[in-house]
Amino acid sequence: TLFPYTTLFRSLRPPPGFHLDAAVSTTYSLDLMALLVAPLAFTFFDWEGDDGQPSKDPNALLEALRRHVDRIHVFCQAGQIAVPKTYRLLFGYLESSVHEVRAVRDGGVFHPKVWIVRYVADGQPAQYRRLCASRYLTFDRSWDTLLVLDGEVGKEATKKNEPLSRFIRSLQAMAVQELTDNTKNTLAELARELDYVEFQLPEHIEDIEFWPIGLPGEQDMWPFPDSADRGLVIAPFVAEGTLRRLNISGEQAIVSRVEELEAIEPDKLRDYEIFALSEGADIEQEEGAEPDDGSDTGSLLSGLHAKLFAFDDSGIGRVWTGSANATNAAFHQNVEFLVEMRGQSKYMGVEAILRPQQKGISVLHDLLEPFSPDEGGGSDSSLQALENLLLRLRRFVVDLELEVHAEQSEENLFDLRLSSTKHPDLPDAEFDLQCWPLTLRQEAGAQRLISDGGWSSSFSSVSFEGLTTFFAFEGRISVDGRSGVCRFVLNLPSQGFPENRRQRLLRYMLKDQQQLMRYLFLLLGEEGALSLSEISGSSRYAGTGNGGFHADIPMLEALVKALERAPEKIDQVAHLVIDLQKTDEGRALLPEEFEQIWHPLWGAREELSRRGG
């Protein structure tokens, strides 16, 4: 299925009556803007535009982050966070949620695409949702797969979930930095409770099995059968050795990218029926449309990105879907995750996937066109050598294990220094490295990362808003007359940063009392009754034109309605008030007139809570 970002967004929405308790996500590459809007999926507001895209209203994003970001833990391959075109202050809320990891095997990468989400409701067993995808946490426009499994915590443990629990436990061992106690406790609790979750099987699926691959301390794992009547591999990357190991005695089919198929010697593909996506299968960016995340569209993946293995044998179909390509690296070096599904071959397997069009319903076969191996031209060895060196350069920077130290130089100004005492092996080529805080523009703020006994770089007079643990890196390297560049972000450990950064960032984003009132009405609006455009555009909700506060009927009415119909919204307002009161600037933002309304109403909310209301 085509898997745009909104498909993931909708898949994360809580069941009716439930709310997010914890979420763990794993990905190879990460787009910070995609992560920024992900918490919107967990709110009870219907924050979605007419085009089906998640809202990017700054107030909606801010509230979703404040409410959920400490419950979301994202693990990605170190050195694979994309550099956004523009920085947003809201990225500061993501720093504690992003955890970079490394595969334990030489040359391997961390490649699984998994979500484990726990939802809770008063008096109800916890609900779990497990997503297994082939795509990254990005805005890519590629063809991918997504499997969604829902389950409920029961009273008896099941061995079937043990591989999934083991996968969650292993994340701590692969982390580049020491995890916070909050993250460690979440991983431990989810892993323990997953043993008791009974997942519901989708229609026509009779059984499932979880296959984590490449975990620390484990041997190579090969999940596929020794033989079958018919086999199918769908993957953007394929290797002749892995295809040969699949050992299908009957009909064999491959669906891959044209450039990948052309790189394999034609004689190695003679036994396969081979397909590629037709030219019309790609989803093109609409003319004049802006990228969803404000980043360079040239970096977005398109075309085939799904990974799927299917086998039919004696009327039984088996399908593996997830992150693994049909390559040696996937099964001998990387960390991957696959889910196996079993059922009758007419519903599950090669026959079901490649069946021709029926009754006017479009199927995968309609998007494919045959590929002739005679078109093969071999791979470009010099280009591959350059790509390998660029990957080695990324790993070199990751292995430096840089730290960022902040020292206040003047009021609201800081000097930053990146430093490392590590000495990893250098790439076998000359290279140049620049770095800069993600809050600064590269043109104005980039400095070289230099070797002076260790490795270091310095940045002077950085404003408070410019403090960040996200640092961008750009490496340039040349080999055999070719030159290339890699750009990525690292989330670095820090020392000397102010402890109340989130509270002060909140004050910077709520610039005046008018913005505060918009934010309050966003919290208090009834779902579906008060749109974001009404909140941000109507003078009735915006306060006075000079940033003052209207202590009039609309605010009092909104607070009283929320107390009666949805008292949890009053709790969210209380959290906002408490955060603002933690800094002098925040306290100054709260008008005296609002306090006159707020204190008696909050007293009523506390009284209701004591009575169990």
Side-chain angles (χ1 to χ4, degrees):
T1 179
L2 178 64
F3 182 5
Y5 185 78
T6 48
T7 303
L8 172 64
F9 186 83
R10 295 189 181 102
S11 298
L12 293 174
R13 286 181 173 172
F18 284 77
H19 62 270
L20 174 71
D21 181 67
V24 171
S25 174
T26 66
T27 181
Y28 171 66
S29 59
L30 173 64
D31 184 311
L32 291 175
M33 189 61 199
L35 178 56
L36 192 66
V37 300
L40 286 170
F42 301 117
T43 63
F44 60 81
F45 293 105
D46 189 15
W47 285 335
E48 185 176 287
D50 294 336
D51 59 356
Q53 296 291 329
S55 168
K56 295 184 180 66
D57 180 278
N59 285 344
L61 289 170
L62 173 58
E63 175 55 20
L65 283 167
R66 291 183 60 252
R67 195 179 306 181
H68 297 305
V69 72
D70 289 332
R71 302 176 184 272
I72 300 174
H73 311 269
V74 178
F75 294 82
C76 67
Q77 168 67 32
Q80 288 295 335
I81 302 175
V83 179
K85 180 178 289 187
T86 58
Y87 180 82
R88 298 172 184 262
L89 277 176
L90 288 170
F91 288 161
Y93 280 83
L94 301 178
E95 293 171 358
S96 62
S97 293
V98 176
H99 313 288
E100 293 174 283
V101 293
R102 288 178 289 209
V104 294
R105 301 182 184 185
D106 289 342
V109 297
F110 182 82
H111 201 244
K113 293 91 174 177
V114 170
W115 280 84
I116 301 293
V117 188
R118 184 178 190 264
Y119 306 102
V120 295
D122 291 341
Q124 300 292 325
Q127 301 286 315
Y128 272 79
R129 185 163 297 155
R130 188 257 191 261
L131 276 59
C132 182
S134 65
R135 70 154 316 128
Y136 311 132
L137 188 49
T138 65
F139 290 102
D140 292 337
R141 303 177 64 83
S142 51
W143 288 90
D144 279 278
T145 58
L146 173 65
L147 172 65
V148 181
L149 297 173
D150 285 317
E152 182 178 295
V153 176
K155 296 181 179 180
E156 296 184 5
T158 171
K159 290 185 178 180
K160 188 177 293 294
N161 292 355
E162 190 277 333
L164 186 54
S165 301
R166 193 170 72 248
F167 172 74
I168 295 297
R169 290 190 180 94
S170 73
L171 295 175
Q172 181 175 341
M174 292 183 282
V176 173
Q177 299 179 31
E178 181 75 12
L179 300 179
T180 64
D181 289 342
N182 174 40
T183 302
K184 290 179 183 178
N185 293 337
T186 298
L187 293 177
E189 182 178 351
L190 292 182
R192 182 172 57 252
E193 198 168 57
L194 277 168
D195 287 334
Y196 293 84
V197 175
E198 183 176 351
F199 287 105
Q200 303 168 13
L201 299 182
E203 186 179 10
H204 302 310
I205 296 178
E206 299 174 3
D207 196 12
I208 61 172
E209 189 166 351
F210 300 120
W211 292 93
I213 299 170
L215 300 186
E218 296 190 4
Q219 301 297 316
D220 285 353
M221 187 175 295
W222 184 253
F224 307 120
D226 293 334
S227 63
D229 297 333
R230 193 177 181 189
L232 168 66
V233 173
I234 301 177
F237 300 102
V238 295
E240 185 272 330
T242 303
L243 295 176
R244 185 174 63 249
R245 188 181 177 190
L246 289 169
N247 193 32
I248 305 304
S249 56
E251 299 177 31
Q252 304 174 86
I254 301 173
V255 180
S256 189
R257 293 173 177 254
V258 169
E259 57 269 27
E260 186 72 2
L261 295 168
E262 289 177 343
I264 301 176
E265 294 181 18
D267 288 345
K268 306 297 184 182
L269 297 174
R270 296 297 183 192
D271 296 332
Y272 297 91
E273 187 178 12
I274 308 172
F275 300 94
L277 284 182
S278 62
E279 292 185 3
D282 269 352
I283 304 299
E284 299 293 340
Q285 182 83 14
E286 294 182 8
E287 186 176 356
E290 293 295 325
D292 292 333
D293 60 346
S295 63
D296 183 358
T297 53
S299 65
L300 300 181
L301 288 178
S302 61
L304 180 70
H305 194 248
K307 291 91 172 171
L308 186 145
F309 301 82
F311 301 90
D312 291 353
D313 194 56
S314 302
I316 301 298
R318 302 169 70 182
V319 173
W320 286 257
T321 187
S323 65
N325 285 289
T327 61
N328 179 75
F331 295 97
H332 298 287
Q333 295 174 292
N334 296 351
V335 178
E336 308 276 3
F337 204 108
L338 293 171
V339 177
E340 177 186 357
M341 299 169 282
R342 303 187 188 111
Q344 298 180 44
S345 58
K346 62 180 178 179
Y347 300 120
M348 176 70 52
V350 184
E351 176 186 347
I353 295 171
L354 291 183
R355 65 165 52 111
Q357 185 182 52
Q358 294 180 346
K359 298 180 181 179
I361 300 175
S362 295
V363 293
L364 176 63
H365 213 292
D366 299 330
L367 302 175
L368 304 178
E369 57 185 23
F371 172 86
S372 172
D374 294 334
E375 300 170 11
S379 60
D380 186 332
S381 59
S382 63
L383 179 59
Q384 186 61 52
L386 177 61
E387 291 176 350
N388 289 339
L389 280 171
L390 289 171
L391 179 59
R392 181 69 193 89
L393 184 57
R394 285 180 191 255
R395 289 175 174 168
F396 166 75
V397 177
V398 171
D399 291 344
L400 284 174
E401 297 184 8
L402 291 158
E403 295 184 358
V404 55
H405 301 258
E407 183 175 346
Q408 189 163 356
S409 56
E410 301 178 34
E411 185 177 1
N412 290 328
L413 291 178
F414 297 81
D415 292 334
L416 302 182
R417 179 177 173 81
L418 292 189
S419 62
S420 169
T421 58
K422 302 287 183 179
H423 297 280
D425 293 336
L426 293 168
D428 297 326
E430 292 187 4
F431 62 88
D432 181 72
L433 272 173
Q434 286 189 334
C435 59
W436 63 97
L438 203 56
T439 49
L440 305 181
R441 293 182 62 84
Q442 180 181 3
E443 297 80 4
Q447 301 289 335
R448 292 190 66 190
L449 190 65
I450 59 175
S451 175
D452 53 359
W455 289 82
S456 65
S457 192
S458 298
F459 309 86
S460 59
S461 300
V462 177
S463 67
F464 173 83
E465 309 96 279
L467 293 178
T468 180
T469 62
F470 288 126
F471 275 73
F473 294 82
E474 181 179 274
R476 296 183 177 274
I477 206 163
S478 299
V479 61
D480 296 334
R482 290 180 180 265
S483 60
V485 60
C486 59
R487 304 175 82 242
F488 56 95
V489 173
L490 294 179
N491 191 14
L492 302 177
S494 62
Q495 295 183 18
F497 280 37
E499 294 182 359
N500 63 347
R501 283 180 64 220
R502 280 195 187 178
Q503 289 76 25
R504 291 180 67 178
L505 283 174
L506 177 65
R507 174 61 183 88
Y508 276 106
M509 285 180 279
L510 298 177
K511 299 180 184 299
D512 52 36
Q513 292 177 0
Q514 182 177 356
Q515 282 275 58
L516 174 60
M517 289 305 102
R518 291 176 178 173
Y519 193 78
L520 285 170
F521 276 108
L522 180 78
L523 296 180
L524 295 170
E526 296 182 24
E527 185 172 358
L530 191 64
S531 71
L532 293 177
S533 60
E534 290 173 329
I535 294 167
S536 59
S538 172
S539 60
R540 179 173 184 256
Y541 302 108
T544 62
N546 61 4
F549 172 74
H550 275 316
D552 58 6
I553 296 300
M555 174 55 70
L556 179 60
E557 177 183 313
L559 287 167
V560 171
K561 281 185 177 180
L563 180 63
E564 177 186 0
R565 301 175 184 178
E568 67 276 3
K569 296 183 180 181
I570 300 296
D571 298 337
Q572 296 300 333
V573 174
H575 294 158
L576 173 63
V577 171
I578 290 170
D579 279 348
L580 289 173
Q581 289 176 337
K582 289 179 179 178
T583 64
D584 293 338
E585 300 90 343
R587 285 190 292 272
L589 195 63
L590 289 166
E592 182 179 347
E593 294 91 336
F594 173 78
E595 304 247 11
Q596 293 172 357
I597 295 175
W598 171 248
H599 286 298
L601 190 131
W602 178 239
R605 169 57 179 154
E606 290 181 310
E607 180 64 26
L608 284 174
S609 297
R610 285 192 291 269
R611 295 177 182 177

